[in-house]
Amino acid sequence: QVQLIESGGELVQAGGSLRLSCAVSGPTFSSVVMGWFRQAPGKEREFVASINRSGTSTLYAESVKGRFTISRDNTKNTVYLQMDSLKLEDTGVYYCAASNWLGSLRGVGYNYWGQGTQVTVSS
């Protein structure tokens, strides 16, 4: 059983920065692909970023490319999402997810999800 707990979401002004963390417990952390997703009010959940098992390969949604950075620390069983130059449209609930499937680097096929953390960007 894999458990994921997100933290770090809060209210921030546009142009500011936040770092989200996701602590993972369960089977070996270094064996899972990790991803971040978000869901804005009234919208479907969307892919934000993913990182492979070793942390050497990442993928980003076009809307966050150049502003967000995903990373992982396999010694701490934690994945991070550094969010810079935040925009109003980045507001939403951010979820981390884990997958045993290498193909999940493309943003699909995740089978473990956290409860989410709220990020609100204000003007």
Side-chain angles (χ1 to χ4, degrees):
Q1 183 74 18
V2 178
Q3 292 184 324
L4 299 84
I5 301 177
E6 303 95 335
S7 62
E10 61 182 66
L11 174 65
V12 62
Q13 284 194 327
S17 297
L18 276 179
R19 189 176 82 154
L20 304 183
S21 299
C22 175
V24 182
S25 62
T28 306
F29 177 69
S30 59
S31 70
V32 294
V33 173
M34 296 298 301
W36 284 98
F37 295 76
R38 67 186 181 187
Q39 186 167 20
K43 295 187 177 181
E44 293 187 353
R45 188 165 55 191
E46 64 175 358
F47 169 76
V48 174
S50 61
I51 189 166
N52 69 346
R53 296 168 176 175
S54 62
T56 56
S57 183
T58 58
L59 184 68
Y60 296 93
E62 285 298 322
S63 59
V64 306
K65 197 173 292 184
R67 300 188 298 120
F68 290 10
T69 303
I70 187 172
S71 62
R72 65 190 295 162
D73 186 338
N74 287 352
T75 67
K76 296 182 178 179
N77 286 13
T78 301
V79 63
Y80 305 98
L81 185 68
Q82 177 67 40
M83 305 186 294
D84 298 317
S85 302
L86 283 162
K87 303 178 180 180
L88 296 179
E89 52 264 41
D90 293 320
T91 293
V93 179
Y94 282 69
Y95 300 89
C96 71
S99 171
N100 302 107
W101 181 45
L102 291 177
S104 289
L105 187 63
R106 302 194 300 270
V108 297
Y110 287 83
N111 46 348
Y112 301 104
W113 294 85
Q115 293 299 308
T117 186
Q118 176 70 46
V119 173
T120 303
V121 183
S122 65
S123 58

